[in-house]
Amino acid sequence: MPEVAVVNSEGAEVGKVDLPADVFEVKPHADLMHSAVIAHLANRRSGTADTKTRAEVAGGGKKPYRQKGTGRARQGTIRAPHYNGGGVVFGPHPRDYEIRMPKKMRRLAVKSALSSKLAEGQIIVVDDLKLEEIGTKRFVEIMENLNVQGKTMLVLGEPDEIVRKSAKNVPWVILRVAPGISTYDLLNSDTVVFTKGALVKIEEVQAK
């Protein structure tokens, strides 16, 4: 069972915490993590792009000129695809891009990502993270005390409006509330910071 240090908001070590091996020490499945990321990105697509076919473009009901005798190629409508303002051939239409993954596969992908992050030393556990008032400067100061590197995902145990508003203007911080983390979020972060409360919730869900 892996053990990691627990620090406070000033970066000082205040204890240790044991992480369950069946969540944080599984053999990473690269192909499964890849599938989870592809599904996550696909499910974010709105699928609302739409183009009009020649049947949907307004106008063009009248034959532009007579069939014979003009010396030009015969045409039936000015809304044909080769005309400016005509319909679009093979253009996008509203569709559902959703990719579904079985729950066990999703959980194993998250466990793989968590295990990879722990093996690379990119997980930090903080005993708690509370702010008395909204303040981006104080929030950034705490992140610097934790010695985070690069893009950071902060995972809270409970929703906290003060922390959320303090973090929303920090471009390199992603805020999540446990157990709502994804494989994409984990792999897209250089450092993952968990509060102890968040760890408990993640362990409860992932260990099922």
Side-chain angles (χ1 to χ4, degrees):
M1 183 175 289
E3 183 182 70
V4 297
V6 179
V7 298
N8 58 21
S9 57
E10 301 304 318
E13 184 174 331
V14 294
K16 300 280 187 179
V17 63
D18 292 325
L19 302 178
D22 58 345
V23 176
F24 288 89
E25 273 193 340
V26 304
K27 180 180 178 181
H29 293 69
D31 54 341
L32 200 56
M33 289 190 286
H34 176 263
S35 297
V37 169
I38 294 298
H40 178 89
L41 295 176
N43 296 341
R44 282 181 13 179
R45 299 184 67 173
S46 60
T48 56
D50 192 18
T51 53
K52 292 184 178 182
T53 65
R54 61 184 294 169
E56 297 169 322
V57 178
K62 179 183 177 182
K63 188 175 177 66
Y65 44 83
R66 61 196 176 97
Q67 181 83 345
K68 295 179 180 293
T70 64
R72 304 171 67 183
R74 53 196 173 188
Q75 302 293 335
T77 173
I78 60 171
R79 290 299 175 250
H82 59 280
Y83 274 102
N84 185 22
V88 177
V89 181
F90 305 130
H93 299 288
R95 56 165 289 192
D96 184 6
Y97 288 93
E98 182 181 10
I99 298 176
R100 295 188 178 186
M101 286 185 68
K103 186 182 293 184
K104 288 184 178 180
M105 291 177 66
R106 293 200 307 269
R107 286 180 176 170
L108 184 54
V110 171
K111 290 178 184 179
S112 295
L114 287 170
S115 299
S116 297
K117 287 296 178 185
L118 182 63
E120 294 168 5
Q122 296 176 342
I123 288 182
I124 298 173
V125 180
V126 61
D127 59 348
D128 199 6
L129 201 155
K130 294 290 185 182
L131 296 175
E132 296 180 0
E133 59 183 6
I134 299 170
T136 301
K137 184 177 180 180
R138 173 55 181 161
F139 177 81
V140 171
E141 182 182 324
I142 292 175
M143 291 293 102
E144 290 174 348
N145 292 340
L146 299 178
N147 197 29
V148 299
Q149 301 294 325
K151 184 180 288 187
T152 302
M153 180 168 71
L154 172 61
V155 188
L156 303 177
E158 300 288 344
D160 189 319
E161 277 297 296
I162 295 179
V163 174
R164 184 186 70 80
K165 291 180 179 180
S166 299
K168 71 178 182 178
N169 287 330
V170 184
W172 43 271
V173 170
I174 307 168
L175 186 64
R176 295 289 184 266
V177 178
I181 60 174
S182 68
T183 304
Y184 175 81
D185 288 334
L186 289 166
L187 297 181
N188 194 38
S189 303
D190 299 304
T191 307
V192 183
V193 179
F194 292 103
T195 64
K196 289 182 68 175
L199 274 181
V200 171
K201 288 191 173 182
I202 289 171
E203 291 170 8
E204 289 175 352
V205 171
Q206 296 298 329
K208 289 182 180 178

